[in-house]
Amino acid sequence: MALLLKRQKNTLKNKLTEYIRIISWIALLVLISFSLLHISSIMQYQKNTNQILTLNNFFDELDTNYQLLKNYVGLVEKSTLAELEISNIRLEKRMHEMKGLQINARFLRDMQDFSAIFSHYEEQNDLICETIEEGLKGVFTAQIAAQVVKQHDQAQMLYRIMTEQYKDLTMTLTNEAADVQERLNKQTAWYYIILLAVFLGVLYMSARYASRLTEQIAAPIQKLEKAAKQVHSGRIENYEDVVWEEPDYDEAVSLTEAFNTMVHHLKDYILLMEENARTTEALHQQKMENLRMDSLLKASELKALQMQMNPHFLFNTLNMISVTADLGDTDKTVLLLQKTAQLLRYSLDYSGKTVTLAKEIEMLGNYVFLQEQRFGSRIFFDFDLDERFHQIQVPCFILQPLIENAVVHGLGGSSGKGSIIIRTKYLESRQEGWISIADDGVGMTGEELAQVLSILDSDREQREKIGLANINMRLKLLLEDRYRLEIVSSPGKGTEIRIRILFLQAEDL
């Protein structure tokens, strides 16, 4: 279990997940930083706005208060006095808000002077109201009127002084707000510079990491491709195992082990074929022994031919995967590697054995997927399956060569697009199952079809061919007279190869 967990940490999927996680965290940090900077700017702007609004509110209320005082002195109405008293309360509250502004040292000094003048203004305001009230209680003499006028003049002078200081306070507040905003702008500029540097650094590191990851994916594929070319060229006797001292990811190890095992099996079967050939020469002297050894020879030849299907297909597939890796499409490369590894494992595990038709069709799906990636929209594959008899045992790898024949011989000579349909059908009334591979390619003439049918049972062709003759021989060894291989073809209309299997009883399903 510990070994399994260890191996899981070094997969392509985990490497890509780690890369995406790092990029996501960096993007999140950048987003948070931008948000905090934006919020800070909004809060500073709101603070400056509130300070100016507080100053304006005070002086608006001061203007209102002075006008009420002036009206009261001129009209001496109780309603005006009531409004003046309410205004005095509001003005005191506004002054308290003004004192709460913490701008700078100069503003505090100005506010201290302003506060002293405001206190004198409040005193004159109260004196005016008291003097008028005393006059209203007794006789409003000329002396009292003169005293009220004098007090009002004093209040008016204080009002004008405060009005003049309003400009200075506003200028101080505006300059301080401008200074704070300038500092904030400078900090923002530096922040953007730092953020840009971080972004460029992350972009550079991401590009390097992505390039390195692509190289890690491509290197094993290219090395296996070189080994496959050596096998394809026939120099299998000099083949040396592909070895990774420190593999970059686990999929490379699995694919390499499967490839090395396949080549060793192929070498063993080639040696076995050579040995059987020498044995066949010696066994001509004894008829009965010759028949027995001939049977063994056919069986060994069958296994060797079966193994020869893999290197050619693998060579083309590795070429395709190498191109995909060079293009940097890591997701597609990983998927192609997985499909290829499954086919290789299937070949190694079931070589020379029988499998269910369902298993054979499942593995055929992997092969069809790889062919679809290779040919794109040029060839359309379709499955029409009746699964009622898919549990029957059939020889391993009997469908893949038929698809390959349809691609190479059926559609290979056509310049346009083509389609291949894989169909299974169970006829319950006849207790018979059909496996059909049909293409709409160039087809065959009557003479070509007759020639193909004539070689199906030829021993010589079974040793030298890998297609229909090989499949026909393996079906005959397994099913004897319970099968029939049929070919229907006509020029320009395509070819259909049909395998008919007879079920003797329901248990055969």
Side-chain angles (χ1 to χ4, degrees), residues 27-43:
L28 180 61
L29 290 176
V30 171
L31 180 62
I32 292 174
S33 301
F34 269 114
S35 300
L36 292 176
L37 181 63
H38 182 66
I39 293 173
S40 175
S41 300
I42 292 176
M43 291 178 64

Side-chain angles (χ1 to χ4, degrees), residues 326-502:
D326 286 339
L327 293 176
D329 193 346
T330 54
D331 291 339
K332 186 175 181 180
T333 302
V334 171
L335 183 59
L336 291 174
L337 285 173
Q338 291 174 345
K339 297 294 185 180
T340 304
Q342 289 174 5
L343 275 177
L344 288 174
R345 178 56 60 189
Y346 179 67
S347 174
L348 295 175
D349 291 345
Y350 296 97
S351 176
K353 300 178 182 179
T354 61
V355 296
T356 63
L357 179 58
K359 183 71 174 179
E360 178 73 2
I361 292 175
E362 178 186 354
M363 288 301 106
L364 181 64
N366 291 333
Y367 175 80
V368 166
F369 173 82
L370 294 173
Q371 292 290 39
E372 286 177 336
Q373 301 307 308
R374 179 182 174 191
F375 291 101
S377 61
R378 183 185 168 190
I379 300 179
F380 171 76
F381 293 87
D382 190 24
F383 286 81
D384 182 11
L385 304 177
D386 184 352
E387 299 180 355
R388 287 181 292 174
F389 72 105
H390 283 191
Q391 295 306 311
I392 186 175
Q393 293 290 320
V394 296
C396 174
F397 271 102
I398 62 168
L399 299 183
Q400 179 263 338
L402 298 180
I403 298 295
E404 187 173 356
N405 281 346
V407 171
V408 175
H409 301 294
L411 301 177
S414 175
S415 59
K417 297 182 180 180
S419 62
I420 297 176
I421 300 176
I422 301 95
R423 181 182 291 111
T424 62
K425 185 177 182 181
Y426 177 65
L427 303 178
E428 186 174 2
S429 60
R430 300 183 185 179
Q431 289 190 331
E432 188 177 84
W434 289 7
I435 306 171
S436 169
I437 308 294
D439 65 75
D440 57 358
V442 296
M444 293 183 289
T445 63
E447 294 179 359
E448 291 173 335
L449 180 58
Q451 184 179 1
V452 172
L453 292 174
S454 67
I455 67 174
L456 289 182
D457 294 320
S458 170
D459 290 343
R460 180 179 62 83
E461 291 295 334
Q462 288 173 5
R463 294 188 180 97
E464 297 178 0
K465 300 290 183 179
I466 300 177
L468 289 175
N470 174 267
I471 296 171
N472 187 55
M473 180 179 181
R474 287 189 284 152
L475 287 171
K476 183 181 293 184
L477 290 174
L478 178 65
L479 301 175
E480 297 178 350
D481 59 347
R482 293 173 51 205
Y483 89 102
R484 182 181 300 172
L485 195 151
E486 300 174 346
I487 304 176
V488 179
S489 182
S490 58
K493 294 185 178 180
T495 302
E496 179 182 6
I497 299 177
R498 183 184 301 163
I499 300 173
R500 299 173 61 182
I501 301 174
L502 178 66

Side-chain angles (χ1 to χ4, degrees), residues 88-190:
N88 287 337
I89 296 173
R90 288 201 302 264
L91 189 61
E92 182 67 27
K93 181 179 179 182
R94 298 298 184 192
M95 186 61 193
H96 180 72
E97 293 174 354
M98 282 269 290
K99 291 179 179 180
L101 296 178
Q102 301 294 328
I103 307 301
N104 52 32
R106 178 182 174 184
F107 186 84
L108 292 177
R109 289 194 301 270
D110 292 343
M111 279 302 303
Q112 289 176 353
D113 297 338
F114 186 83
S115 179
I117 296 172
F118 178 74
S119 297
H120 288 311
Y121 175 79
E122 284 185 316
E123 291 175 0
Q124 291 300 320
N125 196 321
D126 293 340
L127 285 174
I128 291 172
C129 293
E130 290 174 1
T131 302
I132 293 175
E133 288 298 320
E134 287 181 9
L136 293 176
K137 291 178 181 179
V139 179
F140 203 90
T141 65
Q143 184 180 2
I144 294 175
Q147 186 178 359
V148 170
V149 171
K150 182 179 180 181
Q151 293 170 346
H152 177 264
D153 291 341
Q154 185 69 24
Q156 184 180 26
M157 181 188 66
L158 294 172
Y159 167 75
R160 289 176 179 174
I161 293 173
M162 288 189 292
T163 303
E164 289 296 327
Q165 288 188 347
Y166 168 72
K167 298 178 181 179
D168 295 335
L169 292 174
T170 302
M171 185 64 66
T172 301
L173 193 62
T174 303
N175 290 339
E176 179 64 20
D179 292 340
V180 171
Q181 190 62 43
E182 184 179 358
R183 290 196 299 271
L184 183 61
N185 291 339
K186 289 181 180 180
Q187 292 176 357
T188 302
W190 275 109

Side-chain angles (χ1 to χ4, degrees), residues 285-346:
Q285 300 176 3
Q286 299 180 4
K287 184 177 181 180
M288 296 301 296
E289 188 69 7
N290 183 56
L291 291 174
R292 186 180 68 85
M293 292 305 297
D294 185 60
S295 176
L296 293 175
L297 179 60
K298 288 181 178 180
S300 63
E301 285 176 342
L302 173 60
K303 292 181 180 179
L305 289 171
Q306 203 172 332
M307 290 300 295
Q308 287 176 5
M309 290 186 285
N310 294 320
H312 301 286
F313 164 69
L314 181 61
F315 173 73
N316 293 329
T317 302
L318 289 176
N319 269 330
M320 177 177 62
I321 297 176
S322 178
V323 171
T324 305
D326 286 339
L327 293 176
D329 193 346
T330 54
D331 291 339
K332 186 175 181 180
T333 302
V334 171
L335 183 59
L336 291 174
L337 285 173
Q338 291 174 345
K339 297 294 185 180
T340 304
Q342 289 174 5
L343 275 177
L344 288 174
R345 178 56 60 189
Y346 179 67

